[in-house]
Amino acid sequence: LGIERCVLVGHSLGALMAAPAVRQHSANFAALALISPARGYGAAALAADSARVRSQRLATLAELGVAGMTAQRSARLVSDHASPVARAWVQWNMARLHEHGYRQAIELLCGGDLLADLPVPIPTHVACGALDVVTPPAACTEVAQAAGVVLHPIEQAGHASYVEQPAAVAQWLAGVLDAAMGAARAR
C-alpha cells in the first residue's frame, strides 16, 4: 500500500496480532492502540484454561453453528445501553463469520499471549468499553499495566465499543494520532 509508518489499531483478537507485529517491525509504526484487547491463553500457566476454552468454543460451534452462535452470543458484544441499530449491526456482522476463520480465531485466542509481547518499543494506548463483559475492564487494566500505561475507559460501551460509542472511540483514536503526529514533528 506504500504506507511507510502508521498507527496500528488492534481490537479484541486483533491485539494478539498487532502487538507481535509491532514488536517485530517497530520502525513501521508510530504507535499501537489496543481496544478491548484479548489477553489470550497461550501462557504456560494458562494451559488448562486454554484447553477448556478451546473445547468449549469448538463444542458450541459444532452444536449451534454460526447462525446459532450469532443468536446466542451477539448480545454479549454490546452493553444494555446499545441502540437497536448497534445491536442489529453486531448481529449482522457476527452472522458473517466463516466456520474455518472462527476455528483459526479460537487457535489464536488459545495460543496467543499478549502480555508476553508487551511492552513494545513505541507509544502504546489501551482502551476498553467500561461495560465490556468479553474482555472486562479489570483484564484490560492488566494489559495496560503491562504496556506501562493507564487504561482509557469508553463509557456506556461493551466489547464492540466502536459500534456503540463511535464518537467516543473516534475521539480517543484522534488523540492517539495527534500524540503520534506530535512525536513525529518533534524528531
Side-chain angles (χ1 to χ4, degrees):
L1 296 175
I3 299 170
E4 293 179 20
R5 197 163 161 83
C6 67
V7 172
L8 185 59
V9 179
H11 172 262
S12 192
L13 289 175
L16 288 169
M17 293 180 271
V22 167
R23 180 169 285 297
Q24 293 173 16
H25 306 285
S26 63
N28 297 98
F29 302 104
L32 174 63
L34 303 176
I35 304 173
S36 291
R39 180 178 169 177
Y41 296 96
L46 299 175
D49 292 330
S50 177
R52 177 184 49 79
V53 168
R54 179 180 287 109
S55 175
Q56 286 175 344
R57 299 258 175 129
L58 290 172
T60 300
L61 178 62
E63 178 184 339
L64 301 176
V66 170
M69 286 177 22
T70 298
Q72 186 181 79
R73 299 180 60 124
S74 64
R76 294 188 74 230
L77 299 179
V78 294
S79 74
D80 291 340
H81 300 282
S83 70
V85 171
R87 289 179 190 286
W89 190 90
V90 166
Q91 191 170 27
W92 176 87
N93 197 42
M94 190 172 181
R96 274 133 193 86
L97 285 174
H98 294 274
E99 183 176 330
H100 180 70
Y102 184 68
R103 288 177 183 279
Q104 289 177 321
I106 292 168
E107 294 308 315
L108 175 63
L109 177 64
C110 293
D113 182 7
L114 179 60
L115 298 186
D117 287 311
L118 295 174
V120 294
I122 62 169
T124 302
H125 308 267
V126 183
C128 176
L131 303 173
D132 190 339
V133 297
V134 177
T135 55
C140 292
T141 296
E142 289 180 22
V143 172
Q145 289 171 343
V149 299
V150 174
L151 178 69
H152 176 84
I154 301 167
E155 298 302 327
Q156 294 196 341
H159 192 66
S161 57
Y162 55 91
V163 175
E164 280 190 83
Q165 300 296 336
V169 173
Q171 182 178 13
W172 178 73
L173 286 171
V176 170
L177 288 169
D178 286 346
M181 297 291 286
R185 282 190 289 270
R187 279 191 247 159

